[in-house]
Each structure stands twice: as structure tokens, then as C-alpha cells.
Amino acid sequence: MDQAFSEFHKFGDLLMVHGKDIVTALAILVLGLIATQWLIRHARQGLRKAIGKPQLVDILMLSLNVFLIMLVAAFTLLYIGVPALIIRRILVVVLLGGIGLIVLFRPYLPTLPYKVGNTVEMGGLLGKVEATTFLHTRLRTFDGRTLFIPNRMVFNDIVSNYHFTPTRQIRLYVTIGYREDLLKAKALLIRVLKEDPRVQEKPAPTVYVISLAENGVYLSARGWVENQKFFKARCELYERVKLLFDQEGIGFAHPQRDVHLYGRSVRCMEQDGLCPEKLDNERM
């Protein structure tokens, strides 16, 4: 008990002698960190407008942020009386240690499958990555929403990054009736794709018969467009297919079902030819 009281008394004497310097040093540290964040935020906005490359801006801002934080810490230590030689040695040790940790452990650290500025689709959400932190990814969807997605969900989900491939394949699915002209329908689909300037010539557009479904012949027309033009091109191509098929007399298949009626208790009209009694007599 006496020892604890003695230590507390010594701490009080230390505050009496150096309290003003300690408070001033803490104020310098806090204000310096606030000024650093303010400077980084405005510098990031200016560089994004000037350079236009989010990846390069992030690297420059990270380097500048580390440098300014070390500068604020060094100035704080210098104010409280730490010799400049010791401060320089501390900064060199911290800098070399940080570089060594990055070089040694970076291959083993999990990385996100995208960078700022990439257009990605994850968890059923499509948008552009605006920022990444250790905990969250800020995603800006194309309908104007800003979403903060936990990175732990990203590592456990499938992510489609459209930044790595400049083009994307459009697939138009059409079902026509069995009585329609199949070859003519395929030619019209090829025509729609080739007449659109957004559809690339190589690989050439193609049309496949996917299956003979219950309701009709299932066709798929495929062509390649740039990622940025994918959504609008697909919508307008579907519209063009509908108008052209109507103009050329190609009918789309509709859901249909054959109904067979059994039993003599069903009342029917003779002129419709659906009377069970008549059907039974014809079969006999």
C-alpha cells in the first residue's frame, strides 16, 4: 500500500514539473493528425481530378499519409526533449521494419479481388468500387445507392470483376413456335447482331438452337460488346428482335397445354367437336 502511494506521489510530482509540456505535446500530436487527415482528403480529391487514375492516387496518398504521420510524431518527440539523433534512429527503425514486414508477409496476406474504380458484381449487387478499407468496401451501384460491404463477406462469395476483360458476351434468348421458319428466324437474329455497331465482328455473332422445348424451339443469339455498353446494348437488341420478328411474321412461342377430357358427365356443345360421347363413338 505504501509503495503504491509512493508511486502515485512520484507521478504527481512529474505532472507538476512536466505537465504543461506533456499537454502541449499531446495537443501537437492530435492537431497534427487532424491536419494530416484534412490535407490527405483534399489532396486526394485534387489528384483524382488531375490524374484520373484511382490506383495511382491511392498509392500516392498512402505514402504521403505515412510520411506526414511520422513527421508529426517526430516533431512531438522533439518538443518534449527527445534528442534529434534518437528520433532519427527511431524513424529509420520503424521505416525499415515496416518495409521488411511488407516484403516478407505481403504474399501471405489476403487481398481483395478488385481495386478502386473496378466494376464488380458480388452478392447480387452490381456497381463500381469507390473505396476499400480493412473492414469494408464502398460500392456505388448504378441506381445511385452507396453500399458498405464487409470484406469478410467478399472473401466468402463469388465476385465478378469486369475490369479484367474489356468485352462481354451478350446472349439473347428467343423461343419461336414449331410451325415458324427456323432458318429465317436464325438469319434475322444474325442480322440484328451484325447491324448493331456495338457488336464486334470478331468473334463473329452466332445463333444456336439450344433445345426443342415444350412450348417451342429455344434459340440463343450471341455477340461480344464492350463492358460499358453491355446493358444498354442488350436491351435495345431485344427491342430490335421483337420489332423485326413482328415485321417478318415470325411468331414467338407462348405457354400452351393440351387438355384431354374423359367421362360422360361432361356437358358439351356439338359444334365444338369436344363432346366425349362423340369422341368415344369415333374411337369405336
Side-chain angles (χ1 to χ4, degrees):
M1 185 68 181
D2 294 338
Q3 185 178 359
F5 181 79
S6 177
E7 293 294 335
F8 183 77
H9 183 71
K10 291 180 181 180
F11 180 73
D13 293 339
L14 180 64
L15 290 179
M16 291 292 294
V17 177
H18 302 286
K20 183 178 180 180
D21 295 336
I22 294 175
V23 172
T24 304
L26 290 175
I28 293 174
L29 181 62
V30 173
L31 293 177
L33 293 177
I34 294 175
T36 297
Q37 296 302 317
W38 181 86
L39 180 62
I40 292 295
R41 183 170 62 254
H42 286 77
R44 185 188 300 274
Q45 295 176 356
L47 286 178
R48 282 183 176 177
K49 295 179 180 179
I51 299 178
K53 296 182 178 180
Q55 295 84 356
L56 180 60
V57 171
D58 290 339
I59 295 175
L60 293 176
M61 289 300 98
L62 179 61
S63 303
L64 180 60
N65 192 18
V66 173
F67 174 76
L68 291 177
I69 290 176
M70 295 179 64
L71 187 64
V72 171
F75 186 76
T76 303
L77 293 175
L78 186 64
Y79 180 82
I80 62 177
V82 178
L85 180 61
I86 297 179
I87 295 176
R88 286 197 296 269
R89 290 177 179 177
I90 293 175
L91 294 179
V92 171
V93 170
V94 172
L95 181 61
L96 293 178
I99 295 175
L101 290 175
I102 292 175
V103 172
L104 292 176
F105 294 100
R106 182 175 179 81
Y108 304 100
L109 296 176
T111 57
L112 295 172
Y114 47 77
K115 297 180 180 179
V116 175
N118 292 170
T119 299
V120 299
E121 183 177 1
M122 50 186 172
L125 302 172
L126 177 65
K128 181 172 291 187
V129 178
E130 288 190 332
T132 58
T133 65
F134 289 106
L135 299 178
H136 293 89
T137 294
R138 192 174 75 202
L139 186 70
R140 180 77 170 182
T141 62
F142 293 104
D143 59 355
R145 294 181 297 168
T146 300
L147 305 176
F148 293 86
I149 303 175
N151 291 336
R152 57 181 175 80
M153 296 180 61
V154 175
F155 289 119
N156 296 325
D157 197 3
I158 298 176
V159 178
S160 298
N161 191 336
Y162 300 108
H163 174 77
F164 292 99
T165 53
T167 58
R168 185 178 176 186
Q169 188 184 68
I170 285 182
R171 297 186 177 186
L172 305 177
Y173 295 103
V174 177
T175 305
I176 63 174
Y178 280 103
R179 296 183 179 180
E180 305 299 331
D181 191 337
L182 175 60
L183 297 181
K184 182 178 179 181
K186 293 180 64 177
L188 292 177
L189 289 173
I190 289 289
R191 173 183 165 186
V192 169
L193 293 177
K194 288 186 175 181
E195 289 181 350
D196 195 306
R198 294 167 296 190
V199 179
Q200 299 181 356
E201 297 181 358
K202 295 183 179 180
T206 56
V207 177
Y208 298 100
V209 178
I210 301 300
S211 66
L212 302 178
E214 295 181 357
N215 300 324
V217 182
Y218 193 28
L219 304 177
S220 175
R222 304 180 181 185
W224 291 84
V225 298
E226 297 180 8
N227 274 325
Q228 297 178 350
K229 302 176 181 179
F230 174 83
F231 179 77
K232 186 176 181 180
R234 185 181 64 175
C235 295
E236 293 180 355
L237 286 172
Y238 266 123
E239 180 180 351
R240 176 61 177 157
V241 168
K242 174 63 169 65
L243 296 176
L244 187 59
F245 274 34
D246 291 344
Q247 179 181 346
E248 297 294 333
I250 301 295
F252 294 96
H254 301 283
Q256 57 186 350
R257 177 176 298 174
D258 294 334
V259 179
H260 302 274
L261 302 177
Y262 298 94
R264 300 179 180 274
S265 60
V266 180
R267 298 181 60 185
C268 63
M269 296 182 65
E270 190 70 27
Q271 60 269 26
D272 292 336
L274 299 177
C275 183
E277 297 178 357
K278 182 179 179 179
L279 292 177
D280 291 340
N281 294 331
E282 291 179 354
R283 292 171 184 169
M284 294 177 62

